[in-house]
Amino acid sequence: MRSVVLYIALFVSSWLTSQIEPTIHSDEQKVAEPFTITYEVSNNSSWTLPTLKKRDIIQKNLEIVNVKLDTLSEKIQLNLQLIAFDSGIYTIPSYRFKKGSQEIRSFEKDIHVSRVKVNTLQKPIYDIKPIKEISLTFNDYFNKYRWILIGILIALIIAILSFLIYWFIKSKPFAKKEEPEIPPGEEALSALSNLKEQQIWKEDAKVHYSKLTDVLRHYFERKLHFDAPESTSDEILSEIQPQLEEIEYKKLRNLLYEADLVKFAKSSPEESKHLLYLDDSVQLVQSLEEKIVEETEEEEEEALAPIEIKKTYFEFLGNLQKEIPKGDFALWWKIDSEDHFTNSISQKVWDSFYQNELAFYPYILGVILYEKGLNNERKAVLFPESEQQFVLENETVGTFVISISKEKGFTILMNTQTTSNEQRNAFLIEFITNTREFITNEITPPKQKEYKSKSYGDQAKDWYLFIRGMVIKSEKKGKEINRIAGKKLE
C-alpha cells in the first residue's frame, strides 16, 4: 500500500514539474490597458512553441496585441501582450509546448480585469475626444473606390472600341452602299408638280412664291453649280443668262421680280399668273436639261475623238499573247524577308500613277490598245464596268497581265514565281517614265487641265488609296503582307 501511494506521489510531482507556469507582469489589470503574460522554457533543447499571432482572440473581449519571442542563454521566453475591453475574470487557456517527442502543457491562468476608477473630486470629467483621423494608403483608397474605378475603366474601353469601329467603318470606302441620288431635273419637276397640286396661293401667296423660287434656286445650284440660294434675283439672272434664250430669260426675270414683290411688297398677283409662272418654271427646267445633256455628249465625243500620236511610247510592253497564262500573278508581292511594300519602288510608281497619270488614262489606254492591235484607231477609251484582261510578254518580266476596270483602274499583274525584284523594279520604272513622256509630249497643257477637271478614274484612285493605306498601316504594326491585288490563273 505504501508503494502505491509513493508511485502516485512521484507521478503527481513529475506531472506538476513538467507543466509550465505562466507569469504575469502586473498584479492589477485594467480595462483597455495592455498587460504582458510570459511563458518560460529551458534553452537546452529545441522547442516547438504554440502558434500565436497578433490580433488573435483568446476569448470574448480579450485579444493579443503583440507576440514577442526572447531567446536568452539559459531560457526561452514567449511574451504575449494582451488587452481586455471589458471588466471581468478571463481564463488564459493551456498551450502546448513540444520538446522533441515530449509534449508539455502550460497551466491555465485566471486574470481579473477591473474598470478604471475615476476620481471626479480631484480630476474633472472631460468630453469624449473626437475620432482621430489616420492617413489612408493607396490600398485603402483602391478598396474604397474600386468599383467606381472599374466602371470608369470599362466605360473607357467601350468608348475606345466604339471609336475604332466607327473610324474603321467610315474609312472603308465600300462599306456603305449609298442610295442613288435623284437627278436635279427630276427633283425640280416633281417639286413643281406638287406645288401646283397644293395651290398654296389661294391661302397665302407669299408662301407659294417662296416655295416656287426655292425650288428654282435649288435646281440652279445643283445643275449649274453656283450658290443660287444665297444670291439675289439680279445675281441669278446674270449668272444664268448665257444658258437661256431671250424669251426664256425674260420669263425668268418676270417670275423672280414678281416673287420679290409678293414677298417684300405684299403684292397680290392675279390667279392666272400663278399658273403661268408654274408652267414657265417647268418649261425652263426642261429646256436647261436638254441643253446641258447635249453639251455633255459633245464633250464626251470630243474626249473620245481619235488621237494623233507622233511616236510609239508603249512598245516596251511587248507582244500580245492569245492564251491566258497559268500561275500566281499580283500587283506587288513579297520576294524576301527584307522586302516591304512601304517605300518600295512599286509603291512610288503606283502612288505616282494613281494620283497623277491616272487622270489621263483614256488617252493612255486608247494608245496602248491601238499599238497592240486591239483597236483600229487611236481613240480614247474609258474603263469598262466589269474587269477585262489582256496578256503581254516582254524581255524584262516575261508574261504579265494588264487588268482594267472602272473599280480598280489600270493594274499590271506580274508572275510572282518567275519575276525577280530587280526585273519588277526595272519594268515599273520604264512604265512610269514612258507614261510621263507620253503625257508631256502628246497632251497639250489645256487638254491636261481639261482632263484633270473631269476627274477620270476617281473611283479607281479611291480603291488604290484605300488598299495602300491598309497595307502601310499593317506593315508599320509588324504584320506580314505577302501580296497586293493577287490573282491565281489556271
Side-chain angles (χ1 to χ4, degrees):
M1 184 67 183
R2 288 182 180 177
S3 62
V4 172
V5 172
L6 181 61
Y7 279 124
I8 292 172
L10 288 172
F11 174 76
V12 171
S13 174
S14 173
W15 179 76
L16 288 175
T17 56
S18 66
Q19 283 194 300
I20 300 170
E21 176 71 33
T23 57
I24 193 164
H25 291 199
S26 55
D27 297 333
E28 186 177 1
Q29 321 308 324
K30 293 184 172 55
V31 173
E33 288 187 0
F35 60 92
T36 302
I37 186 169
T38 300
Y39 296 88
E40 289 185 356
V41 294
S42 61
N43 193 13
N44 56 5
S45 60
S46 60
W47 288 87
T48 302
L49 304 180
T51 304
L52 299 169
K53 58 183 181 297
K54 185 178 180 180
R55 294 186 181 176
D56 279 356
I57 305 298
I58 295 178
Q59 63 182 86
K60 185 179 179 181
N61 292 326
L62 183 63
E63 181 179 323
I64 298 175
V65 295
N66 193 23
V67 178
K68 185 180 179 183
L69 184 65
D70 291 332
T71 302
L72 305 178
S73 59
E74 297 181 356
K75 57 186 176 180
I76 299 173
Q77 289 185 341
L78 176 63
N79 298 302
L80 303 180
Q81 190 176 38
L82 311 177
I83 189 169
F85 300 104
D86 198 4
S87 58
I89 298 174
Y90 297 93
T91 300
I92 306 299
S94 173
Y95 295 115
R96 291 185 303 175
F97 294 76
K98 281 188 175 183
K99 184 173 65 172
S101 59
Q102 182 184 4
E103 180 179 296
I104 302 175
R105 301 189 67 89
S106 63
F107 287 106
E108 293 183 352
K109 184 75 170 179
D110 291 333
I111 299 173
H112 181 267
V113 178
S114 60
R115 293 182 179 275
V116 178
K117 296 180 180 180
V118 180
N119 189 343
T120 57
L121 297 178
Q122 295 181 358
K123 294 183 180 180
I125 298 176
Y126 297 99
D127 290 337
I128 298 173
K129 290 185 178 181
I131 297 173
K132 184 179 180 181
E133 294 185 1
I134 59 173
S135 58
L136 298 177
T137 63
F138 173 79
N139 289 336
D140 295 329
Y141 281 112
F142 180 78
N143 291 331
K144 185 176 181 180
Y145 300 108
R146 65 180 180 276
W147 293 115
I148 297 175
L149 294 173
I150 292 172
I152 293 172
L153 183 62
I154 293 172
L156 186 62
I157 292 172
I158 292 173
I160 292 172
L161 289 175
S162 301
F163 171 77
L164 292 174
I165 293 170
Y166 169 78
W167 173 84
F168 177 76
I169 293 174
K170 187 176 180 182
S171 64
K172 196 172 183 179
F174 309 114
K176 185 179 178 182
K177 187 176 181 180
E178 296 183 356
E179 293 291 331
E181 189 177 22
I182 301 174
E186 291 182 18
E187 184 184 36
L189 292 173
S190 176
L192 290 171
S193 177
N194 293 334
L195 197 59
K196 188 174 184 178
E197 291 178 1
Q198 293 171 1
Q199 298 184 357
I200 301 174
W201 65 80
K202 292 183 177 180
E203 298 178 2
D204 194 331
K206 181 178 179 180
V207 173
H208 168 73
Y209 279 94
S210 294
K211 288 182 176 291
L212 176 58
T213 52
D214 284 347
V215 170
L216 292 176
R217 287 170 183 271
H218 181 62
Y219 170 71
F220 295 152
E221 180 184 34
R222 290 190 61 196
K223 193 69 178 179
L224 303 177
H225 309 293
F226 73 97
D227 192 14
E230 300 299 326
S231 302
T232 64
S233 296
D234 289 332
E235 289 172 342
I236 292 174
L237 290 168
S238 176
E239 185 74 32
I240 203 174
Q241 186 174 10
Q243 305 285 343
L244 303 178
E245 302 293 338
E246 184 176 355
I247 185 65
E248 294 172 336
Y249 175 77
K250 289 181 179 179
K251 287 181 178 180
L252 178 61
R253 182 183 63 189
N254 293 339
L255 187 159
L256 293 176
Y257 285 171
E258 188 76 62
D260 288 342
L261 289 173
V262 173
K263 289 188 286 185
F264 305 115
K266 298 183 179 179
S267 174
S268 299
E270 298 175 0
E271 184 166 349
S272 60
K273 282 191 174 182
H274 303 320
L275 296 172
L276 176 64
Y277 289 140
L278 278 169
D279 292 339
D280 289 345
S281 299
V282 170
Q283 292 173 8
L284 176 64
V285 172
Q286 291 173 340
S287 176
L288 284 172
E289 285 295 303
E290 292 175 2
K291 288 177 182 177
I292 294 173
V293 167
E294 289 174 0
E295 290 174 2
T296 304
E297 289 176 351
E298 289 174 2
E299 288 177 0
E300 289 182 356
E301 288 176 3
E302 182 184 352
L304 301 178
I307 310 163
E308 293 297 329
I309 305 299
K310 299 172 185 177
K311 58 173 283 190
T312 301
Y313 290 93
F314 298 100
E315 187 176 359
F316 76 95
L317 290 175
N319 300 318
L320 191 67
Q321 303 295 305
K322 293 182 180 180
E323 294 184 1
I324 300 294
K326 295 181 180 180
D328 187 67
F329 291 78
L331 180 77
W332 175 90
W333 65 99
K334 192 179 185 69
I335 293 178
D336 54 50
S337 60
E338 301 300 322
D339 194 17
H340 298 284
F341 180 72
T342 305
N343 296 324
S344 66
I345 296 294
S346 296
Q347 184 203 333
K348 292 175 182 177
V349 168
W350 290 117
D351 279 4
S352 173
F353 181 77
Y354 273 90
Q355 297 187 60
N356 300 310
E357 287 75 30
L358 186 66
F360 312 102
Y361 88 80
Y363 271 170
I364 299 169
L365 187 56
V367 172
I368 292 175
L369 294 179
Y370 174 77
E371 288 187 4
K372 302 309 170 188
L374 295 172
N375 274 357
N376 295 326
E377 56 181 346
R378 291 188 182 94
K379 189 176 182 180
V381 177
L382 298 177
F383 283 141
E385 290 290 336
S386 58
E387 184 182 14
Q388 293 182 12
Q389 298 174 354
F390 49 97
V391 181
L392 294 160
E393 183 178 6
N394 74 353
E395 296 178 356
T396 306
V397 294
T399 304
F400 64 96
V401 177
I402 292 181
S403 172
I404 56 174
S405 68
K406 190 173 182 180
E407 179 189 356
K408 298 181 181 179
F410 185 100
T411 57
I412 297 176
L413 309 178
M414 289 172 269
N415 193 313
T416 64
Q417 298 167 334
T418 60
T419 308
S420 67
N421 192 31
E422 291 76 13
Q423 291 172 326
R424 178 176 64 188
N425 292 343
F427 178 69
L428 289 176
I429 291 171
E430 190 173 11
F431 165 71
I432 199 68
T433 302
N434 285 30
T435 303
R436 290 171 181 170
E437 184 182 357
F438 164 73
I439 293 169
T440 303
N441 296 340
E442 306 297 341
I443 305 179
T444 62
K447 274 291 183 184
Q448 290 185 24
K449 185 176 181 181
E450 179 187 344
Y451 263 73
K452 286 183 178 179
S453 68
K454 293 181 184 297
S455 302
Y456 284 123
D458 275 0
Q459 183 177 348
K461 179 180 177 180
D462 290 341
W463 168 82
Y464 173 74
L465 292 178
F466 171 72
I467 296 297
R468 171 190 181 275
M470 296 296 290
V471 170
I472 291 175
K473 285 180 183 176
S474 298
E475 288 188 340
K476 283 184 177 178
K477 293 179 180 179
K479 295 181 180 179
E480 289 291 332
I481 303 297
N482 293 321
R483 63 179 187 166
I484 301 171
K487 187 179 292 289
K488 204 167 192 66
L489 302 178
E490 297 179 353

